Structures are given as structure tokens and as C-alpha cells.
Amino acid sequence: MEKIIAGKNITVNEEGYLTDFSQWDEQVGEALAAEANVPLSARHWEILKYLQNEQKNQVALSIRRIGKSGVTDIKEFYQLFPNAPLKTATKIAGIPKPASCI
Amino acid sequence: MKHVVILGAGTAGTMMANHLHHQLKHPDWEITIIDEREEHHYQPGYLFLPFDIYAPEDIIKTIEEFIPKDVKLVKNKINRIKPADNKIELTGGNEIAYDILIIATGAKIAPEETEGMKGAEWQKSVFDFYTFEGSLALRNKLRDWEGGKLVVHITEMPIKCPVAPLEFAFLADSFFKHKHMRDKVEITYVTPLSGAFTKPKATEALEHLLHEKGINIEPDFAIEKVDNERKEIVDYGGKIIPFDLLVTVPTNKGDELMERSGMGDDLNYVPTNKATLQSKDYANIFVLGDASNIPASKAGSVAHFEAEILTDNILRFVHGEPLKEEFDGHANCFIETGNGKALLIDFNYTHEPVEGSFPFPGIGPLRLLKESRMNHMGKLAFRWIYWNVLLKGTHIPFVSATMSEKGKHYA
């Protein structure tokens, strides 16, 4: 489906995740963060860039991996993106919601 | 003579030995399977043991009785795999060379990964049911537990048999009803997922059942620690859930052998091609069952479907033919829902579990994603099938290794 984010027509899935990363830019990120009530600081951006980079390298994202990434620890990750940090952060970063293996 | 070595004589390794010994025969081939243990456990039985539905003798047999006579069983601990030399180093120093290696060393719980989990309350008010010892200790606890807050908890994904903790919650509801003490027990299901399951349609059906049975659900809970003194679990976001009895599924990890051999990921699972089951790093190494990192369920049914496909691929590899990218993540799981009923789900990498009939489209007799007595009979019959059909590598009639879309109600 299409959604207007930061004045642009963006394709998202039913949960609001971008389906085409090429449509993402920092304004889109800011708008998605505002929607999630997460004001973005420089620290947030470091983590968002890290997540995008991991996604680019096709690394499966998990809370555990982020905790061991050296970029942040799990405690801080929760402080920066409260409640469900990985889901919130990936949405803002414009990358797919991590598939938990079953 | 060429040599196939299988590491691990659990569900996956045993099935593989039974498949391959028909195909790779003396004098051209020798097959060896290595496992240090004596006993083969029917792991799905760990779910029933705490509720006195199965007794220990129902779920334990020897490893030996399921290994074909022409396959050599080596009972020894493995020190490490030396993939560059095509050798296995046993504890004690002996080495076994291989031409083809199959890794089937499974996954196991690692409660030490979570602060306080294996603390003072371990097996007093904090239990697992993913080991025989844990399940038996929990049975003894439940026999005279007087009630209170029961918390059923998943630490992190992936875990073996991802529906088992849900089944535990359902069976607990049923168990306490039969003991006429359901009103004394508050059951809460705590999960790191955003709902009861990872796939939307099954989540909906399962959450409906949780609700119907008066089981609370706490989603998105990423545990930081178990507080043994206050009897609480605490998550990174600061959420606190008190318990009188905590039944947890600790972090699951692959065998430490992978760490010693430098072959695993951060949870000791072996990076594996999800369609061919070949190791990503070594062409003559294949990975079967829970030991791999493929995004399929860690379940016996998956290992069973994989074993059929892997047998073909190993023969192709032997003949120098390209491997078939055939495995689709097919899983087929009964979900006990208590009171003599069960659900059945059938799914793969791309198709979520939906309603329908199984295995015969439009006929059944099993119903997908709906509670029925027939499904429960299927689950109980499965123990017989496991010992007598599955481990022997016999094809289960009408159930194909890749998933069938027929008889299923996709929207």
C-alpha cells in the first residue's frame, strides 16, 4: 500500500514497514520516528545506520546480536527505542521487520 | 573405500543413518555415526512428562536399537571438527577421516545465558521442560504444588519446537482443571514475540484459545534477569512479572563443538544453505536438523522432511551432479490444546499455517488450525510413528517432503 511520509509517496506493508529501501531518506526516517514518538538524537542515528548496514550485508538482526555489536548494549537500545526496540528501530530505518525464526 | 561420518545420533542423525545405509553400501562406502550418549529420548514426550501423561519409560530407548547393523556406532565425545583436513578429532586424541560429513548435533538449552536463571531457585520454583531432568523435576513439583502464579516463558528465539511452550500452557490449564484447582492458578504466557506465534493466522487462532482458557499473554518481553529473591522476571524495558512457579524455555544453542571447531554463528548454529542443506563454508559438509541456522522450525518433522531431500542431495554430490535446491522449510506440528484435543499446522518458508484439511485435500481426516479430538489422537499416535517409522527413515505415506498447497485455505 502507499502512504505519504514526509511529503513523499512511499510503499509500505500492512504493518507500516517500507518495502523498498530506495524510497528511504533521513526525512522519511524523521517522520517515521515522530510517528513512533521517538525523538532522534545523534546516538539514535548511529544505531539506525548500523542496522541499515547489517541489513545491506544480509545479517539476520536480533536483540542478542545488537547487544554484542559494540555499537550499543541492550539496556541503551531499550532506552533509546522503548518497548519493542528492534521493531521500532527497523521501521524507522526503513528496513524489514526482523523475521523471528520459528 | 569412502567414508560418510554422521555427528549425533538423535532424531536427525539416526534418520540419516537409516536413509543412507540403503544407498551407500560396502565395499565402496562405510558409514560411521558418533554420539557419546547411551539413550535416545523421544523429545516431544518431555511436554507430557510433567503432567504424568507419559512415564519416563515411554520416552527412553537405547541409541543402538535404531542404528542399522552395517553402520558403525562410535560412542565417544567429539573434541573438534577439522574441516580443512576432513577429520574428526575425538576426545582422547583419536581421529576419524571423512569424505562426507553430516552434522546433526542438535540444539540444547543454555540457561546460563540469562542472569539468575540457573540461580538459587533453579528446579525449586524455576524449571525447564526441554531436558529429561528438568521435565521430571517439574513433574515432581506439579504433583503437590498448591497453586499461585504460573508463568510460562520463552527467553529468546529460535527455540526447538516453538509451539511447545504454548502447549505447556494449554496442558497446564487442563491439568489444573482436572485437579479441581484451576481457580487457584493464574497462568501467564510471556513471550519475546509480539503475539502467541510468529505467523499471523496461527497467532490469531492461538490467542483466541489462550483467551478462552483464561491464560494471560505478555508479548514483547525481552528478559534481562530472573530475580531469585523476589521471584520475578525483569525485562530490559523494566517490565516486571512476579511468579510462584516459572516454567521457562531458556536460550537454545547449537552444540559447543561448533564453537571449539570455529564453525558456528553466535548461537553455535552452523551456517547452512536453506534449500540444499549444504554447509555454506565446506562443500563436503551437510547440516541436518536443529544444528543448522536455516530459518525453519527446529522440530523433528522438519528434520524428517530434510532427511529425504538431503539423502538425494548427498547422492548427487557423490556422483558429481549439482545439488537440488529443494528444501522449502516444510514443518508439520501437532499443538496439544488440552482436554483431549489438538490443533495441526502445516507450513513452510513462504506459506504460513492456515485452515484446511490434511493430508487429503478436502477430506482430512485431520483439520488444520482447528481443535479436534482426531488431531489429539494423531499427536498420541505420533510417538509410535516416531519409534517405528520416522527414525527408520521410512517415508510417511501421503505426506511429502515439500509442502503441498492443496486443501488449504489461503486468502
Side-chain angles (χ1 to χ4, degrees):
Chain A
M1 60 182 93
E2 296 261 301
K3 190 176 163 189
I4 295 174
I5 304 171
K8 289 183 263 291
N9 253 335
I10 307 274
T11 318
V12 295
N13 69 11
E14 64 275 13
E15 290 181 298
Y17 287 81
L18 266 65
T19 52
D20 177 5
F21 181 66
S22 72
Q23 296 181 329
W24 186 92
D25 58 28
E26 293 195 358
Q27 286 81 41
V28 172
E30 291 279 3
L32 290 166
E35 229 175 85
N37 290 319
V38 179
L40 296 181
S41 66
R43 208 57 198 112
H44 287 88
W45 280 112
E46 279 174 50
I47 293 166
L48 292 171
K49 298 279 176 194
Y50 161 77
L51 293 175
Q52 289 170 340
N53 201 39
E54 291 287 278
Q55 172 68 23
K56 202 171 86 194
N57 296 329
Q58 298 190 332
V59 177
L61 295 168
S62 68
I63 296 260
R64 158 183 292 272
R65 199 180 286 273
I66 286 158
K68 291 187 174 173
S69 64
V71 176
T72 181
D73 58 35
I74 301 178
K75 208 80 194 169
E76 188 199 33
F77 193 38
Y78 264 83
Q79 281 158 8
L80 294 173
F81 302 92
N83 300 320
L86 193 52
K87 273 176 264 178
T88 311
T90 49
K91 190 184 268 187
I92 297 170
I95 59 178
K97 179 175 158 185
S100 314
C101 300
I102 60 160
Chain B
M1 190 189 289
K2 291 199 165 184
H3 197 188
V4 176
V5 172
I6 303 171
L7 304 183
T11 307
T14 300
M15 287 192 297
M16 214 54 217
N18 279 293
H19 275 290
L20 284 179
H21 89 117
H22 295 298
Q23 311 287 345
L24 302 175
K25 293 178 193 264
H26 294 283
D28 300 334
W29 286 91
E30 190 184 2
I31 302 174
T32 300
I33 187 164
I34 310 175
D35 198 310
E36 62 185 302
R37 298 166 298 179
E38 293 288 338
E39 293 172 346
H40 185 123
H41 289 197
Y42 174 58
Q43 293 183 60
Y46 295 166
L47 171 68
F48 294 108
L49 191 57
F51 303 108
D52 270 316
I53 299 171
Y54 285 166
E57 59 268 27
D58 293 327
I59 59 177
I60 300 176
K61 293 184 189 271
T62 64
I63 281 183
E64 241 142 345
E65 61 190 290
F66 299 98
I67 305 299
K69 294 284 165 277
D70 51 356
V71 171
K72 191 173 165 195
L73 173 60
V74 174
K75 286 185 192 167
N76 207 318
K77 194 170 156 66
I78 303 157
N79 191 27
R80 64 191 172 120
I81 304 166
K82 294 158 79 175
D85 304 337
N86 297 319
K87 280 183 180 144
I88 303 298
E89 183 188 294
L90 301 175
T91 303
N94 283 346
E95 291 193 332
I96 297 178
Y98 61 81
D99 295 284
I100 294 174
L101 180 68
I102 298 169
I103 297 176
T105 41
K108 43 184 77 79
I109 60 163
E112 65 281 2
E113 290 278 330
T114 305
E115 185 189 333
M117 191 172 276
K118 221 172 171 177
E121 289 297 315
W122 183 249
Q123 297 199 349
K124 291 196 177 77
S125 64
V126 177
F127 292 84
D128 83 283
F129 66 99
Y130 271 48
T131 57
F132 176 73
E133 297 72 28
S135 182
L136 194 68
L138 182 54
R139 179 196 73 176
N140 297 339
K141 174 79 179 186
L142 285 177
R143 278 180 176 173
D144 47 36
W145 191 51
E146 287 173 356
K149 292 182 167 64
L150 168 64
V151 172
V152 182
H153 167 252
I154 302 174
T155 302
E156 64 179 308
M157 301 300 281
I159 57 169
K160 284 200 259 200
C161 189
V163 294
L166 269 170
E167 296 181 277
F168 188 92
F170 292 145
L171 287 174
D173 166 70
S174 184
F175 176 79
F176 293 122
K177 269 185 195 143
H178 283 116
K179 286 183 89 170
H180 305 290
M181 55 180 287
R182 182 64 181 88
D183 57 331
K184 295 200 181 82
V185 181
E186 187 187 312
I187 307 178
T188 306
Y189 185 75
V190 184
T191 170
L193 301 172
S194 345
F197 200 58
T198 49
K199 313 264 174 160
K201 290 219 172 70
T203 297
E204 208 176 292
L206 292 164
E207 284 182 354
H208 177 75
L209 281 173
L210 286 170
H211 184 72
E212 206 176 86
K213 293 171 195 297
I215 299 167
N216 312 313
I217 174 163
E218 281 282 352
D220 292 318
F221 189 93
I223 191 167
E224 183 187 0
K225 60 178 180 195
V226 178
D227 186 328
N228 285 266
E229 273 169 29
R230 300 172 64 95
K231 288 198 174 185
E232 291 169 347
I233 50 175
V234 182
D235 100 330
Y236 284 105
K239 260 187 283 180
I240 289 172
I241 298 174
F243 64 83
D244 294 302
L245 178 57
L246 174 66
V247 176
T248 184
V249 180
T251 300
N252 280 206
K253 289 176 88 171
D255 202 286
E256 283 175 4
L257 169 64
M258 301 315 144
E259 202 174 326
R260 292 197 295 273
S261 309
M263 291 176 70
D265 64 12
D266 55 348
L267 284 170
N268 294 342
Y269 295 121
V270 185
T272 305
N273 180 309
K274 69 175 191 174
T276 63
L277 307 176
Q278 187 177 41
S279 144
K280 285 191 174 166
D281 298 321
Y282 305 96
N284 63 337
I285 298 182
F286 297 85
V287 192
L288 184 69
D290 299 347
S292 86
N293 76 336
I294 64 169
S297 281
K298 295 195 180 295
S301 70
V302 174
H304 164 76
F305 298 133
E306 286 176 343
E308 293 193 4
I309 285 163
L310 184 55
T311 302
D312 290 346
N313 264 347
I314 284 179
L315 295 178
R316 286 191 192 98
F317 181 78
V318 165
H319 297 126
E321 296 162 11
L323 303 182
K324 253 197 177 169
E325 299 194 349
E326 204 179 1
F327 187 62
D328 65 353
H330 189 191
N332 179 286
C333 313
F334 289 105
I335 306 175
E336 278 293 298
T337 54
N339 294 312
K341 290 186 181 175
L343 292 175
L344 178 64
I345 54 175
D346 196 57
F347 57 103
N348 67 9
Y349 289 139
T350 51
H351 289 70
E352 63 166 320
V354 291
E355 288 180 14
S357 46
F358 186 88
F360 302 106
I363 297 169
L366 302 174
R367 294 272 162 254
L368 294 171
L369 208 51
K370 279 239 190 313
E371 268 191 301
S372 79
R373 288 204 180 274
M374 187 61 112
N375 289 339
H376 170 67
M377 300 315 287
K379 174 109 183 178
L380 293 187
F382 189 73
R383 178 163 57 105
W384 187 91
I385 293 174
Y386 181 85
W387 294 123
N388 295 286
V389 181
L390 208 75
L391 286 181
K392 293 183 178 149
T394 311
H395 179 76
I396 296 179
F398 316 115
V399 182
S400 60
T402 50
M403 194 198 76
S404 164
E405 292 173 37
K406 293 190 181 119
K408 294 183 181 152
H409 309 159
Y410 296 109

